[in-house]
Amino acid sequence: MPEHATSQVSRTESGVWTPRIVGFLCYWCSYTGADAAGTARMKYPGNVDIIRVMCSGRVDPELITTAFSRGADGVLVCGCHIGDCHYINGNHKTMARMPLIRKVIEGMGIEPDRFRHEWVSAAEGEKFKEVVTDMTAKVTALGPLNWPQLMYDRGVGHGHDLKPWGE
Ligand code: FES
């Protein structure tokens, strides 16, 4: 097996595997909601690596597939509720795109529970906590995705070799 195909991308804490979930959160509502959960000292799994974007409408499909192809076990997209987007209709694009993205990634062999889209307002720290807790449990039950290896085994992709990405 090539060296680059064996690298471990998920986390291990105390020898126990835990998933890596990439969370794209819009700045105005969902990121503030996550912040509210932290400020209120709510306890939830620390498995989500948060990437702050200005609007959930900014999250194009390539960002999601790139996260999976770079080793994420799950991807979460959160934005303002419909009617609350600070760019008026950015989340209308999100609402239209997410079901399509779900179909595409399922077609690529990624289980549905590995991808989640939620509306989380700045005041919904509790909801953010519940979403992260539930998603982490579901992705943990599925186990590591290791999509780069999966694609490599199928004869496509570059495994964990990041040279094609310029790294
Ligand atoms: S600013 Fe939050 S979804 Fe557009």
Side-chain angles (χ1 to χ4, degrees):
M1 185 180 291
E3 187 184 325
H4 67 258
T6 59
S7 62
Q8 187 55 262
V9 289
S10 297
R11 295 174 169 150
T12 8
E13 288 164 15
S14 315
V16 178
W17 175 85
T18 60
R20 166 166 285 164
I21 297 169
V22 173
F24 295 101
L25 273 55
C26 95
Y27 173 73
W28 297 102
C29 287
S30 305
Y31 185 82
T32 310
D35 202 31
T39 304
R41 296 179 180 268
M42 293 177 192
K43 290 207 183 310
Y44 59 87
N47 294 75
V48 178
D49 290 336
I50 293 175
I51 296 175
R52 190 173 62 178
V53 292
M54 290 310 286
C55 177
S56 65
R58 162 70 181 88
V59 183
D60 65 51
E62 192 184 357
L63 288 176
I64 295 168
T65 54
T66 297
F68 280 120
S69 69
R70 302 279 298 259
D73 300 298
V75 174
L76 171 67
V77 177
C78 296
C80 308
H81 287 269
I82 294 298
D84 290 345
C85 178
H86 285 241
Y87 303 96
I88 302 171
N89 62 358
N91 57 3
H92 290 222
K93 292 176 186 157
T94 315
M95 188 170 62
R97 277 183 198 144
M98 293 304 130
L100 295 173
I101 294 168
R102 177 177 295 285
K103 278 192 185 304
V104 169
I105 61 175
E106 282 178 34
M108 292 167 147
I110 296 173
E111 297 95 337
D113 281 343
R114 293 189 187 274
F115 174 70
R116 187 157 175 170
H117 164 236
E118 293 283 348
W119 305 129
V120 177
S121 79
E124 291 180 319
E126 182 71 31
K127 180 175 180 182
F128 182 76
K129 180 194 93 169
E130 285 167 11
V131 166
V132 169
T133 304
D134 183 61
M135 186 171 181
T136 301
K138 285 176 175 162
V139 177
T140 301
L142 287 169
L145 173 61
N146 206 356
W147 202 43
Q149 182 66 53
L150 197 72
M151 299 307 280
Y152 187 85
D153 290 345
R154 290 177 182 172
V156 292
H158 304 281
H160 293 289
D161 181 4
L162 297 180
K163 285 196 194 87
W165 299 96
E167 294 181 16

